Amino acid sequence: MSLQPKGLPEIPAQTVAVARAAFPHGTLAMRVRDRLGEVFADEPFVEAFGHRGAPGLSPAVLSLVTVLQFTENLTDRQAAVMAVRAIDWKYAIGAELTDTGFDATVLSRFRTRLAEHGMERVVFD
């Protein structure tokens, strides 16, 4: 897996429209993205990812999912499901409404990779 630093993707217009219609006052996930989106960047994770191979999921996105997972006390499987079915989570991670998400094992592999590189606190710092 390789890393091509990009940070959080732009939120698709349709996702914005549907999320704002469903949650006119926003949700925690939406507020985190709106107010703290720039905090979630790929650059702090460059050391933990290779430069060759197919690009993996953005560490910025996985970091944001990890924070949301922590705030809602969810298992990896529950967090992966939220990234597929919850409109406000799709908004937060910049996903299309039709995005099919990722396998739950991606989250544990992400945490393992961070631990192997002594970067356990980077997500929360």
Side-chain angles (χ1 to χ4, degrees), residues 1 48-49 62 66 76 104-120 123:
M1 175 174 25
F49 293 86
L62 293 175
T66 300
D76 288 349
T105 60
V106 169
L107 293 169
S108 63
R109 289 195 313 257
F110 175 64
R111 288 190 306 272
T112 298
R113 185 176 291 264
L114 295 183
E116 288 171 349
H117 289 85
M119 304 175 84
E120 302 93 332
V123 171

Side-chain angles (χ1 to χ4, degrees), residues 20-86:
R20 293 282 176 216
F23 306 105
H25 302 292
T27 66
L28 175 63
M30 293 167 70
R31 286 190 297 276
V32 167
R33 171 60 188 251
D34 291 342
R35 295 184 183 144
L36 301 173
E38 67 276 356
V39 170
F40 296 96
D42 288 337
E43 288 77 14
F45 302 99
V46 170
E47 292 178 28
F49 293 86
H51 302 287
R52 293 182 178 197
L57 286 171
S58 161
V61 169
L62 293 175
S63 296
L64 180 50
V65 169
T66 300
V67 168
L68 295 174
Q69 176 184 10
F70 177 79
T71 62
E72 297 195 26
N73 194 31
L74 302 174
T75 65
D76 288 349
R77 183 168 308 284
Q78 290 169 325
V81 167
M82 290 294 281
V84 173
R85 79 164 196 220

